[in-house]
């Protein structure tokens, strides 16, 4: 448990969203402005993990605009 507002921060894709959204997310990963980690979970979920919330938000907006 950490102080509110500290990382790491996660962008999680549930198994239902992976087929539609993961190719788009993966295409924009090289443009991620900070150090990040991709985690794969046994249920099929995937997450992009970053310590900088603002960087994650800005990057995700780029993904949405595609």
């Amino acid at each position: 448990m950490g102080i509110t507002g500290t990382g790491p921060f996660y962008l999680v894709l549930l198994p239902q969203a992976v087929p539609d959204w993961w190719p788009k997310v993966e295409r924009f990963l090289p443009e991620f402005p900070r150090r990040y980690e991709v985690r794969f979970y046994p249920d099929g979920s995937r997450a992009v993990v970053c310590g900088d919330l603002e960087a994650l938000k800005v990057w995700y907006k780029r993904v949405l605009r595609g």
Side-chain angles (χ1 to χ4, degrees), residues 34-60:
R34 300 274 190 251
R35 202 175 101 204
Y36 68 89
E37 176 185 349
V38 176
R39 294 187 185 171
F40 298 87
Y41 296 100
D43 69 347
S45 299
R46 296 179 185 178
V48 177
V49 184
C50 177
D52 184 346
L53 180 59
E54 286 305 311
L56 187 62
K57 283 188 206 178
V58 168
W59 174 79
Y60 183 62

Side-chain angles (χ1 to χ4, degrees), residues 7-20:
F9 301 98
Y10 295 75
L11 170 69
V12 178
L13 291 174
L14 297 176
Q16 306 90 308
V18 168
D20 296 330

Side-chain angles (χ1 to χ4, degrees), residues 28 31-33 57-66:
F28 281 92
E31 297 178 19
F32 204 91
K57 283 188 206 178
V58 168
W59 174 79
Y60 183 62
K61 285 179 185 177
R62 275 191 231 145
V63 172
L64 288 178
R65 282 184 260 150

